Amino acid sequence: QSVLTQPPSVSGAPGQRVTISCTGSSSNIGAGYDVHWYQQLPGTAPKLLIYGNSNRPSGVPDRFSGSKSGTSASLAITGLQAEDEADYYCQSYDSSLSASYVFGTGTKVTVL
Amino acid sequence: QVQLVQSGAEVKKPGSSVKVSCKASGGTFSSYAISWVRQAPGQGLEWMGRIIPILGIANYAQKFQGRVTITADKSTSTAYMELSSLRSEDTAVYYCARAAGTTGAFDIWGQGTMVTVSS
């Protein structure tokens, strides 16, 4: 029942650029709430990758960047590396669901 | 640096309850919101609810209202999530996560607790 929609999978060769979209609505992203992105490697807890739409926590490579426009947000990975193969989730806040946080449907990134 | 350490795996019968703990170490606990997020096998992340320990106020996702209770013990820097009336669909890894400041981003996560519901 995720209210944020992501493509199920994206892929790219090492060194390429890939983007992941996160589509919401007027009650979440479109209402101005921040979007955050997480990377989840197999069998591990999610890790914060981007916060506040476009900010990287300390230690996150600048190959990762985020943007937001209207009711959507995007995560870009440039210079794709083998260790980037993981699941990625966007997250925001939704004012229509008893004041709750919401996650995207998740995207599997495959490095060819 | 704050770490969140969760209790161990649980196996429960349908209809019973489970209580998972999340202990913070190495930093301030009370002033940050602690959320609980679950992930069913092969599925995505699902927010269940949160608590702000210093206020003792919890709020829950509509889906879990009436079935989940989130509490916190400031004296031991530990948050708890109790889920009742368990069914097989509740089989999942349950994570606690700290919200960073006012952004709402979850910057620190526990290691996860596997809860299996099976007869």
mmCIF file of all heavy atoms in Angstrom, chain A residues 36 38 46 48 51 91 101 103, chain B residues 1-6 22-37 47 49-53 79 95-110:
data_model
loop_
_atom_site.group_PDB
_atom_site.id
_atom_site.type_symbol
_atom_site.label_atom_id
_atom_site.label_comp_id
_atom_site.label_asym_id
_atom_site.label_seq_id
_atom_site.Cartn_x
_atom_site.Cartn_y
_atom_site.Cartn_z
ATOM 1 N N HIS A 36 13.603 11.630 1.380
ATOM 2 C CA HIS A 36 14.867 11.033 1.810
ATOM 3 C C HIS A 36 15.049 9.714 1.058
ATOM 4 O O HIS A 36 14.068 9.088 0.631
ATOM 5 C CB HIS A 36 14.859 10.770 3.319
ATOM 6 C CG HIS A 36 14.218 11.868 4.114
ATOM 7 N ND1 HIS A 36 14.746 13.149 4.177
ATOM 8 C CD2 HIS A 36 13.082 11.883 4.858
ATOM 9 C CE1 HIS A 36 13.955 13.894 4.923
ATOM 10 N NE2 HIS A 36 12.937 13.157 5.350
ATOM 11 N N TYR A 38 17.213 5.863 0.871
ATOM 12 C CA TYR A 38 17.948 4.846 1.620
ATOM 13 C C TYR A 38 18.471 3.785 0.665
ATOM 14 O O TYR A 38 17.825 3.452 -0.333
ATOM 15 C CB TYR A 38 17.043 4.171 2.661
ATOM 16 C CG TYR A 38 16.449 5.156 3.639
ATOM 17 C CD1 TYR A 38 15.269 5.819 3.347
ATOM 18 C CD2 TYR A 38 17.087 5.452 4.838
ATOM 19 C CE1 TYR A 38 14.726 6.747 4.212
ATOM 20 C CE2 TYR A 38 16.560 6.386 5.716
ATOM 21 C CZ TYR A 38 15.379 7.029 5.393
ATOM 22 O OH TYR A 38 14.856 7.956 6.259
ATOM 23 N N PRO A 46 18.494 -0.720 6.279
ATOM 24 C CA PRO A 46 18.650 0.419 5.356
ATOM 25 C C PRO A 46 19.656 1.419 5.906
ATOM 26 O O PRO A 46 19.859 1.543 7.112
ATOM 27 C CB PRO A 46 17.238 1.026 5.317
ATOM 28 C CG PRO A 46 16.330 -0.089 5.695
ATOM 29 C CD PRO A 46 17.104 -0.892 6.706
ATOM 30 N N LEU A 48 20.823 5.571 5.441
ATOM 31 C CA LEU A 48 20.426 6.871 4.904
ATOM 32 C C LEU A 48 21.431 7.335 3.862
ATOM 33 O O LEU A 48 22.631 7.427 4.140
ATOM 34 C CB LEU A 48 20.318 7.890 6.039
ATOM 35 C CG LEU A 48 19.890 9.301 5.649
ATOM 36 C CD1 LEU A 48 18.484 9.315 5.049
ATOM 37 C CD2 LEU A 48 19.949 10.232 6.859
ATOM 38 N N TYR A 51 19.206 13.041 2.500
ATOM 39 C CA TYR A 51 18.148 13.575 3.357
ATOM 40 C C TYR A 51 17.787 14.982 2.919
ATOM 41 O O TYR A 51 18.594 15.667 2.285
ATOM 42 C CB TYR A 51 18.555 13.547 4.843
ATOM 43 C CG TYR A 51 19.663 14.515 5.206
ATOM 44 C CD1 TYR A 51 19.376 15.790 5.687
ATOM 45 C CD2 TYR A 51 20.997 14.148 5.066
ATOM 46 C CE1 TYR A 51 20.387 16.670 6.026
ATOM 47 C CE2 TYR A 51 22.020 15.019 5.390
ATOM 48 C CZ TYR A 51 21.709 16.281 5.874
ATOM 49 O OH TYR A 51 22.718 17.156 6.194
ATOM 50 N N GLN A 91 11.490 8.030 0.794
ATOM 51 C CA GLN A 91 10.624 8.164 1.974
ATOM 52 C C GLN A 91 10.207 9.614 2.132
ATOM 53 O O GLN A 91 11.003 10.525 1.865
ATOM 54 C CB GLN A 91 11.367 7.695 3.222
ATOM 55 C CG GLN A 91 10.582 7.819 4.521
ATOM 56 C CD GLN A 91 11.280 8.707 5.523
ATOM 57 O OE1 GLN A 91 12.496 8.689 5.681
ATOM 58 N NE2 GLN A 91 10.512 9.494 6.254
ATOM 59 N N TYR A 101 4.564 8.600 8.129
ATOM 60 C CA TYR A 101 5.674 8.520 7.191
ATOM 61 C C TYR A 101 5.360 7.426 6.161
ATOM 62 O O TYR A 101 4.701 6.438 6.483
ATOM 63 C CB TYR A 101 6.974 8.205 7.916
ATOM 64 C CG TYR A 101 7.427 9.323 8.826
ATOM 65 C CD1 TYR A 101 7.261 9.251 10.207
ATOM 66 C CD2 TYR A 101 8.009 10.476 8.299
ATOM 67 C CE1 TYR A 101 7.656 10.290 11.029
ATOM 68 C CE2 TYR A 101 8.407 11.521 9.121
ATOM 69 C CZ TYR A 101 8.228 11.420 10.481
ATOM 70 O OH TYR A 101 8.616 12.450 11.296
ATOM 71 N N PHE A 103 6.990 5.121 2.673
ATOM 72 C CA PHE A 103 8.130 4.705 1.875
ATOM 73 C C PHE A 103 7.698 4.427 0.449
ATOM 74 O O PHE A 103 6.534 4.128 0.175
ATOM 75 C CB PHE A 103 8.749 3.426 2.449
ATOM 76 C CG PHE A 103 9.533 3.630 3.707
ATOM 77 C CD1 PHE A 103 8.940 3.442 4.946
ATOM 78 C CD2 PHE A 103 10.874 3.997 3.653
ATOM 79 C CE1 PHE A 103 9.667 3.636 6.111
ATOM 80 C CE2 PHE A 103 11.609 4.184 4.809
ATOM 81 C CZ PHE A 103 11.002 4.007 6.041
ATOM 82 N N GLN B 1 28.954 8.029 19.083
ATOM 83 C CA GLN B 1 27.944 7.812 18.054
ATOM 84 C C GLN B 1 26.857 6.880 18.596
ATOM 85 O O GLN B 1 27.147 5.820 19.137
ATOM 86 C CB GLN B 1 28.606 7.184 16.815
ATOM 87 C CG GLN B 1 27.661 6.740 15.729
ATOM 88 C CD GLN B 1 27.040 7.915 14.980
ATOM 89 O OE1 GLN B 1 26.798 8.987 15.559
ATOM 90 N NE2 GLN B 1 26.763 7.741 13.701
ATOM 91 N N VAL B 2 25.613 7.289 18.430
ATOM 92 C CA VAL B 2 24.497 6.489 18.930
ATOM 93 C C VAL B 2 24.370 5.198 18.138
ATOM 94 O O VAL B 2 24.507 5.180 16.908
ATOM 95 C CB VAL B 2 23.185 7.288 18.844
ATOM 96 C CG1 VAL B 2 22.005 6.412 19.224
ATOM 97 C CG2 VAL B 2 23.245 8.512 19.743
ATOM 98 N N GLN B 3 24.117 4.116 18.864
ATOM 99 C CA GLN B 3 23.806 2.826 18.233
ATOM 100 C C GLN B 3 22.470 2.349 18.783
ATOM 101 O O GLN B 3 22.148 2.584 19.957
ATOM 102 C CB GLN B 3 24.875 1.793 18.562
ATOM 103 C CG GLN B 3 26.167 1.947 17.776
ATOM 104 C CD GLN B 3 27.092 0.768 18.004
ATOM 105 O OE1 GLN B 3 27.403 0.414 19.133
ATOM 106 N NE2 GLN B 3 27.541 0.143 16.924
ATOM 107 N N LEU B 4 21.710 1.671 17.950
ATOM 108 C CA LEU B 4 20.449 1.071 18.374
ATOM 109 C C LEU B 4 20.604 -0.440 18.295
ATOM 110 O O LEU B 4 20.881 -0.984 17.217
ATOM 111 C CB LEU B 4 19.298 1.543 17.480
ATOM 112 C CG LEU B 4 19.031 3.047 17.458
ATOM 113 C CD1 LEU B 4 17.915 3.385 16.480
ATOM 114 C CD2 LEU B 4 18.697 3.566 18.844
ATOM 115 N N VAL B 5 20.417 -1.110 19.431
ATOM 116 C CA VAL B 5 20.595 -2.559 19.484
ATOM 117 C C VAL B 5 19.257 -3.196 19.842
ATOM 118 O O VAL B 5 18.664 -2.887 20.884
ATOM 119 C CB VAL B 5 21.666 -2.960 20.515
ATOM 120 C CG1 VAL B 5 21.813 -4.477 20.560
ATOM 121 C CG2 VAL B 5 23.001 -2.303 20.155
ATOM 122 N N GLN B 6 18.794 -4.078 18.974
ATOM 123 C CA GLN B 6 17.481 -4.685 19.146
ATOM 124 C C GLN B 6 17.568 -6.069 19.780
ATOM 125 O O GLN B 6 18.621 -6.723 19.751
ATOM 126 C CB GLN B 6 16.777 -4.778 17.792
ATOM 127 C CG GLN B 6 16.540 -3.423 17.146
ATOM 128 C CD GLN B 6 15.803 -3.520 15.833
ATOM 129 O OE1 GLN B 6 16.144 -2.846 14.865
ATOM 130 N NE2 GLN B 6 14.778 -4.351 15.769
ATOM 131 N N CYS B 22 14.500 -2.000 21.698
ATOM 132 C CA CYS B 22 15.486 -1.247 20.930
ATOM 133 C C CYS B 22 16.226 -0.353 21.919
ATOM 134 O O CYS B 22 15.683 0.649 22.389
ATOM 135 C CB CYS B 22 14.760 -0.422 19.865
ATOM 136 S SG CYS B 22 15.743 0.809 18.987
ATOM 137 N N LYS B 23 17.463 -0.719 22.249
ATOM 138 C CA LYS B 23 18.227 0.009 23.259
ATOM 139 C C LYS B 23 19.244 0.931 22.590
ATOM 140 O O LYS B 23 20.033 0.498 21.745
ATOM 141 C CB LYS B 23 18.940 -0.960 24.204
ATOM 142 C CG LYS B 23 19.687 -0.264 25.329
ATOM 143 C CD LYS B 23 20.239 -1.260 26.330
ATOM 144 C CE LYS B 23 21.094 -0.586 27.393
ATOM 145 N NZ LYS B 23 20.316 0.404 28.183
ATOM 146 N N ALA B 24 19.227 2.201 23.007
ATOM 147 C CA ALA B 24 20.167 3.177 22.470
ATOM 148 C C ALA B 24 21.384 3.284 23.371
ATOM 149 O O ALA B 24 21.266 3.287 24.592
ATOM 150 C CB ALA B 24 19.498 4.535 22.352
ATOM 151 N N SER B 25 22.545 3.352 22.746
ATOM 152 C CA SER B 25 23.766 3.530 23.513
ATOM 153 C C SER B 25 24.654 4.552 22.826
ATOM 154 O O SER B 25 24.596 4.722 21.611
ATOM 155 C CB SER B 25 24.511 2.202 23.645
ATOM 156 O OG SER B 25 24.900 1.726 22.365
ATOM 157 N N GLY B 26 25.457 5.247 23.612
ATOM 158 C CA GLY B 26 26.448 6.159 23.055
ATOM 159 C C GLY B 26 25.962 7.556 22.749
ATOM 160 O O GLY B 26 26.659 8.314 22.062
ATOM 161 N N GLY B 27 24.776 7.930 23.224
ATOM 162 C CA GLY B 27 24.329 9.284 22.937
ATOM 163 C C GLY B 27 22.978 9.581 23.547
ATOM 164 O O GLY B 27 22.434 8.775 24.293
ATOM 165 N N THR B 28 22.423 10.746 23.176
ATOM 166 C CA THR B 28 21.130 11.174 23.701
ATOM 167 C C THR B 28 20.002 10.329 23.133
ATOM 168 O O THR B 28 19.989 10.054 21.933
ATOM 169 C CB THR B 28 20.893 12.647 23.343
ATOM 170 O OG1 THR B 28 21.994 13.429 23.810
ATOM 171 C CG2 THR B 28 19.615 13.150 23.985
ATOM 172 N N PHE B 29 19.076 9.950 23.984
ATOM 173 C CA PHE B 29 17.962 9.098 23.554
ATOM 174 C C PHE B 29 16.651 9.866 23.540
ATOM 175 O O PHE B 29 15.917 9.845 22.558
ATOM 176 C CB PHE B 29 17.867 7.893 24.510
ATOM 177 C CG PHE B 29 16.630 7.052 24.335
ATOM 178 C CD1 PHE B 29 16.510 6.193 23.254
ATOM 179 C CD2 PHE B 29 15.597 7.100 25.256
ATOM 180 C CE1 PHE B 29 15.393 5.392 23.088
ATOM 181 C CE2 PHE B 29 14.466 6.299 25.112
ATOM 182 C CZ PHE B 29 14.365 5.447 24.027
ATOM 183 N N SER B 30 16.359 10.566 24.624
ATOM 184 C CA SER B 30 15.007 11.065 24.846
ATOM 185 C C SER B 30 14.523 12.107 23.851
ATOM 186 O O SER B 30 13.333 12.205 23.588
ATOM 187 C CB SER B 30 14.903 11.641 26.266
ATOM 188 O OG SER B 30 15.088 10.613 27.216
ATOM 189 N N SER B 31 15.444 12.907 23.314
ATOM 190 C CA SER B 31 14.993 14.045 22.521
ATOM 191 C C SER B 31 14.752 13.722 21.047
ATOM 192 O O SER B 31 14.307 14.584 20.291
ATOM 193 C CB SER B 31 15.998 15.192 22.634
ATOM 194 O OG SER B 31 17.277 14.751 22.265
ATOM 195 N N TYR B 32 15.018 12.491 20.623
ATOM 196 C CA TYR B 32 14.796 12.112 19.232
ATOM 197 C C TYR B 32 13.598 11.171 19.136
ATOM 198 O O TYR B 32 13.346 10.375 20.016
ATOM 199 C CB TYR B 32 16.016 11.387 18.659
ATOM 200 C CG TYR B 32 17.229 12.257 18.490
ATOM 201 C CD1 TYR B 32 18.225 12.300 19.457
ATOM 202 C CD2 TYR B 32 17.397 13.033 17.346
ATOM 203 C CE1 TYR B 32 19.342 13.096 19.298
ATOM 204 C CE2 TYR B 32 18.509 13.819 17.175
ATOM 205 C CZ TYR B 32 19.480 13.853 18.154
ATOM 206 O OH TYR B 32 20.587 14.635 17.984
ATOM 207 N N ALA B 33 12.889 11.245 18.026
ATOM 208 C CA ALA B 33 11.805 10.308 17.790
ATOM 209 C C ALA B 33 12.372 8.963 17.349
ATOM 210 O O ALA B 33 13.330 8.903 16.575
ATOM 211 C CB ALA B 33 10.867 10.845 16.705
ATOM 212 N N ILE B 34 11.788 7.895 17.871
ATOM 213 C CA ILE B 34 12.163 6.543 17.463
ATOM 214 C C ILE B 34 10.973 5.936 16.730
ATOM 215 O O ILE B 34 9.861 5.861 17.270
ATOM 216 C CB ILE B 34 12.516 5.649 18.661
ATOM 217 C CG1 ILE B 34 13.725 6.211 19.420
ATOM 218 C CG2 ILE B 34 12.765 4.212 18.200
ATOM 219 C CD1 ILE B 34 15.046 6.114 18.681
ATOM 220 N N SER B 35 11.207 5.529 15.501
ATOM 221 C CA SER B 35 10.168 4.896 14.687
ATOM 222 C C SER B 35 10.399 3.399 14.599
ATOM 223 O O SER B 35 11.524 2.919 14.811
ATOM 224 C CB SER B 35 10.160 5.473 13.268
ATOM 225 O OG SER B 35 9.470 6.690 13.202
ATOM 226 N N TRP B 36 9.325 2.694 14.260
ATOM 227 C CA TRP B 36 9.423 1.265 13.974
ATOM 228 C C TRP B 36 8.986 1.044 12.527
ATOM 229 O O TRP B 36 7.939 1.563 12.094
ATOM 230 C CB TRP B 36 8.562 0.458 14.939
ATOM 231 C CG TRP B 36 9.160 0.415 16.317
ATOM 232 C CD1 TRP B 36 8.965 1.312 17.334
ATOM 233 C CD2 TRP B 36 10.076 -0.550 16.814
ATOM 234 N NE1 TRP B 36 9.700 0.962 18.431
ATOM 235 C CE2 TRP B 36 10.397 -0.185 18.153
ATOM 236 C CE3 TRP B 36 10.667 -1.715 16.288
ATOM 237 C CZ2 TRP B 36 11.270 -0.916 18.948
ATOM 238 C CZ3 TRP B 36 11.539 -2.450 17.080
ATOM 239 C CH2 TRP B 36 11.834 -2.054 18.394
ATOM 240 N N VAL B 37 9.794 0.287 11.811
ATOM 241 C CA VAL B 37 9.583 0.011 10.393
ATOM 242 C C VAL B 37 9.710 -1.492 10.202
ATOM 243 O O VAL B 37 10.625 -2.103 10.749
ATOM 244 C CB VAL B 37 10.652 0.733 9.540
ATOM 245 C CG1 VAL B 37 10.498 0.375 8.059
ATOM 246 C CG2 VAL B 37 10.574 2.243 9.740
ATOM 247 N N TRP B 47 6.276 1.773 7.429
ATOM 248 C CA TRP B 47 6.336 2.496 8.694
ATOM 249 C C TRP B 47 5.150 2.118 9.566
ATOM 250 O O TRP B 47 3.999 2.110 9.096
ATOM 251 C CB TRP B 47 6.329 4.004 8.424
ATOM 252 C CG TRP B 47 6.489 4.854 9.630
ATOM 253 C CD1 TRP B 47 7.654 5.144 10.289
ATOM 254 C CD2 TRP B 47 5.463 5.562 10.337
ATOM 255 N NE1 TRP B 47 7.402 5.986 11.345
ATOM 256 C CE2 TRP B 47 6.073 6.257 11.401
ATOM 257 C CE3 TRP B 47 4.070 5.680 10.168
ATOM 258 C CZ2 TRP B 47 5.348 7.050 12.299
ATOM 259 C CZ3 TRP B 47 3.357 6.476 11.050
ATOM 260 C CH2 TRP B 47 4.002 7.150 12.109
ATOM 261 N N GLY B 49 4.909 3.234 13.227
ATOM 262 C CA GLY B 49 4.596 4.239 14.225
ATOM 263 C C GLY B 49 5.867 4.772 14.845
ATOM 264 O O GLY B 49 6.977 4.331 14.509
ATOM 265 N N ARG B 50 5.715 5.720 15.775
ATOM 266 C CA ARG B 50 6.882 6.304 16.391
ATOM 267 C C ARG B 50 6.552 6.809 17.786
ATOM 268 O O ARG B 50 5.386 6.963 18.146
ATOM 269 C CB ARG B 50 7.396 7.477 15.555
ATOM 270 C CG ARG B 50 6.463 8.686 15.592
ATOM 271 C CD ARG B 50 7.096 9.914 15.012
ATOM 272 N NE ARG B 50 6.220 11.088 15.154
ATOM 273 C CZ ARG B 50 6.561 12.315 14.846
ATOM 274 N NH1 ARG B 50 7.757 12.581 14.359
ATOM 275 N NH2 ARG B 50 5.713 13.308 15.002
ATOM 276 N N ILE B 51 7.612 7.094 18.543
ATOM 277 C CA ILE B 51 7.448 7.694 19.856
ATOM 278 C C ILE B 51 8.537 8.745 20.058
ATOM 279 O O ILE B 51 9.647 8.580 19.553
ATOM 280 C CB ILE B 51 7.492 6.637 20.983
ATOM 281 C CG1 ILE B 51 7.103 7.272 22.323
ATOM 282 C CG2 ILE B 51 8.867 5.957 21.065
ATOM 283 C CD1 ILE B 51 6.788 6.259 23.407
ATOM 284 N N ILE B 52 8.196 9.818 20.735
ATOM 285 C CA ILE B 52 9.188 10.805 21.164
ATOM 286 C C ILE B 52 9.357 10.593 22.661
ATOM 287 O O ILE B 52 8.489 10.988 23.446
ATOM 288 C CB ILE B 52 8.735 12.237 20.855
ATOM 289 C CG1 ILE B 52 8.438 12.365 19.357
ATOM 290 C CG2 ILE B 52 9.799 13.248 21.274
ATOM 291 C CD1 ILE B 52 7.842 13.698 18.947
ATOM 292 N N PRO B 53 10.443 9.937 23.081
ATOM 293 C CA PRO B 53 10.575 9.532 24.485
ATOM 294 C C PRO B 53 10.439 10.682 25.485
ATOM 295 O O PRO B 53 9.821 10.507 26.534
ATOM 296 C CB PRO B 53 11.973 8.913 24.522
ATOM 297 C CG PRO B 53 12.166 8.378 23.151
ATOM 298 C CD PRO B 53 11.527 9.395 22.258
ATOM 299 N N ALA B 79 13.399 1.686 23.696
ATOM 300 C CA ALA B 79 12.061 1.778 23.111
ATOM 301 C C ALA B 79 11.533 0.369 22.870
ATOM 302 O O ALA B 79 12.316 -0.576 22.662
ATOM 303 C CB ALA B 79 12.095 2.562 21.802
ATOM 304 N N TYR B 95 12.446 -3.198 12.350
ATOM 305 C CA TYR B 95 13.557 -2.303 12.624
ATOM 306 C C TYR B 95 13.090 -1.136 13.487
ATOM 307 O O TYR B 95 11.990 -0.614 13.287
ATOM 308 C CB TYR B 95 14.112 -1.695 11.331
ATOM 309 C CG TYR B 95 14.760 -2.642 10.362
ATOM 310 C CD1 TYR B 95 14.074 -3.089 9.231
ATOM 311 C CD2 TYR B 95 16.071 -3.070 10.539
ATOM 312 C CE1 TYR B 95 14.678 -3.933 8.305
ATOM 313 C CE2 TYR B 95 16.683 -3.913 9.617
ATOM 314 C CZ TYR B 95 15.978 -4.345 8.509
ATOM 315 O OH TYR B 95 16.584 -5.177 7.606
ATOM 316 N N CYS B 96 13.957 -0.684 14.395
ATOM 317 C CA CYS B 96 13.755 0.624 15.007
ATOM 318 C C CYS B 96 14.712 1.584 14.301
ATOM 319 O O CYS B 96 15.766 1.175 13.794
ATOM 320 C CB CYS B 96 13.989 0.608 16.506
ATOM 321 S SG CYS B 96 15.649 0.108 17.049
ATOM 322 N N ALA B 97 14.338 2.847 14.259
ATOM 323 C CA ALA B 97 15.156 3.836 13.560
ATOM 324 C C ALA B 97 14.969 5.194 14.217
ATOM 325 O O ALA B 97 13.860 5.559 14.626
ATOM 326 C CB ALA B 97 14.769 3.903 12.083
ATOM 327 N N ARG B 98 16.066 5.952 14.305
ATOM 328 C CA ARG B 98 16.013 7.277 14.898
ATOM 329 C C ARG B 98 15.793 8.325 13.819
ATOM 330 O O ARG B 98 16.433 8.282 12.774
ATOM 331 C CB ARG B 98 17.315 7.572 15.641
ATOM 332 C CG ARG B 98 17.289 8.857 16.435
ATOM 333 C CD ARG B 98 18.650 9.197 16.991
ATOM 334 N NE ARG B 98 19.490 9.877 15.995
ATOM 335 C CZ ARG B 98 20.612 10.531 16.283
ATOM 336 N NH1 ARG B 98 21.020 10.585 17.549
ATOM 337 N NH2 ARG B 98 21.323 11.122 15.334
ATOM 338 N N ALA B 99 14.911 9.270 14.100
ATOM 339 C CA ALA B 99 14.687 10.376 13.163
ATOM 340 C C ALA B 99 15.662 11.494 13.481
ATOM 341 O O ALA B 99 15.782 11.925 14.627
ATOM 342 C CB ALA B 99 13.258 10.884 13.257
ATOM 343 N N ALA B 100 16.359 11.967 12.462
ATOM 344 C CA ALA B 100 17.362 13.018 12.624
ATOM 345 C C ALA B 100 16.717 14.387 12.655
ATOM 346 O O ALA B 100 16.177 14.827 11.653
ATOM 347 C CB ALA B 100 18.352 12.953 11.466
ATOM 348 N N GLY B 101 16.763 15.052 13.775
ATOM 349 C CA GLY B 101 16.288 16.418 13.892
ATOM 350 C C GLY B 101 14.888 16.616 13.364
ATOM 351 O O GLY B 101 13.995 15.805 13.597
ATOM 352 N N THR B 102 14.707 17.677 12.581
ATOM 353 C CA THR B 102 13.371 18.013 12.093
ATOM 354 C C THR B 102 13.123 17.528 10.676
ATOM 355 O O THR B 102 12.044 17.723 10.126
ATOM 356 C CB THR B 102 13.164 19.535 12.128
ATOM 357 O OG1 THR B 102 14.186 20.143 11.318
ATOM 358 C CG2 THR B 102 13.261 20.064 13.543
ATOM 359 N N THR B 103 14.114 16.875 10.072
ATOM 360 C CA THR B 103 13.943 16.472 8.678
ATOM 361 C C THR B 103 13.026 15.269 8.512
ATOM 362 O O THR B 103 12.451 15.067 7.458
ATOM 363 C CB THR B 103 15.284 16.133 8.014
ATOM 364 O OG1 THR B 103 15.788 14.907 8.569
ATOM 365 C CG2 THR B 103 16.302 17.239 8.225
ATOM 366 N N GLY B 104 12.958 14.443 9.550
ATOM 367 C CA GLY B 104 12.168 13.225 9.426
ATOM 368 C C GLY B 104 12.913 12.084 8.789
ATOM 369 O O GLY B 104 12.348 11.006 8.577
ATOM 370 N N ALA B 105 14.174 12.295 8.457
ATOM 371 C CA ALA B 105 14.977 11.210 7.883
ATOM 372 C C ALA B 105 15.459 10.281 8.989
ATOM 373 O O ALA B 105 15.791 10.734 10.084
ATOM 374 C CB ALA B 105 16.175 11.792 7.138
ATOM 375 N N PHE B 106 15.514 9.001 8.689
ATOM 376 C CA PHE B 106 15.944 8.012 9.673
ATOM 377 C C PHE B 106 17.446 7.780 9.508
ATOM 378 O O PHE B 106 17.880 7.077 8.592
ATOM 379 C CB PHE B 106 15.158 6.719 9.498
ATOM 380 C CG PHE B 106 13.669 6.916 9.593
ATOM 381 C CD1 PHE B 106 12.828 6.436 8.617
ATOM 382 C CD2 PHE B 106 13.113 7.595 10.672
ATOM 383 C CE1 PHE B 106 11.448 6.624 8.695
ATOM 384 C CE2 PHE B 106 11.743 7.789 10.758
ATOM 385 C CZ PHE B 106 10.905 7.298 9.765
ATOM 386 N N ASP B 107 18.221 8.402 10.404
ATOM 387 C CA ASP B 107 19.668 8.384 10.208
ATOM 388 C C ASP B 107 20.373 7.226 10.891
ATOM 389 O O ASP B 107 21.493 6.873 10.510
ATOM 390 C CB ASP B 107 20.291 9.714 10.660
ATOM 391 C CG ASP B 107 20.144 9.968 12.147
ATOM 392 O OD1 ASP B 107 19.211 9.398 12.782
ATOM 393 O OD2 ASP B 107 20.940 10.756 12.689
ATOM 394 N N ILE B 108 19.755 6.648 11.897
ATOM 395 C CA ILE B 108 20.361 5.512 12.588
ATOM 396 C C ILE B 108 19.322 4.410 12.716
ATOM 397 O O ILE B 108 18.188 4.666 13.142
ATOM 398 C CB ILE B 108 20.889 5.927 13.977
ATOM 399 C CG1 ILE B 108 21.986 6.980 13.816
ATOM 400 C CG2 ILE B 108 21.422 4.711 14.741
ATOM 401 C CD1 ILE B 108 22.458 7.574 15.120
ATOM 402 N N TRP B 109 19.731 3.185 12.363
ATOM 403 C CA TRP B 109 18.824 2.043 12.375
ATOM 404 C C TRP B 109 19.359 0.954 13.298
ATOM 405 O O TRP B 109 20.565 0.769 13.421
ATOM 406 C CB TRP B 109 18.693 1.462 10.960
ATOM 407 C CG TRP B 109 17.995 2.358 9.982
ATOM 408 C CD1 TRP B 109 18.474 3.548 9.467
ATOM 409 C CD2 TRP B 109 16.729 2.144 9.383
ATOM 410 N NE1 TRP B 109 17.560 4.077 8.586
ATOM 411 C CE2 TRP B 109 16.483 3.232 8.507
ATOM 412 C CE3 TRP B 109 15.760 1.145 9.473
ATOM 413 C CZ2 TRP B 109 15.310 3.340 7.750
ATOM 414 C CZ3 TRP B 109 14.599 1.249 8.720
ATOM 415 C CH2 TRP B 109 14.380 2.342 7.874
ATOM 416 N N GLY B 110 18.440 0.229 13.902
ATOM 417 C CA GLY B 110 18.827 -0.976 14.606
ATOM 418 C C GLY B 110 19.145 -2.070 13.605
ATOM 419 O O GLY B 110 18.927 -1.914 12.398
#
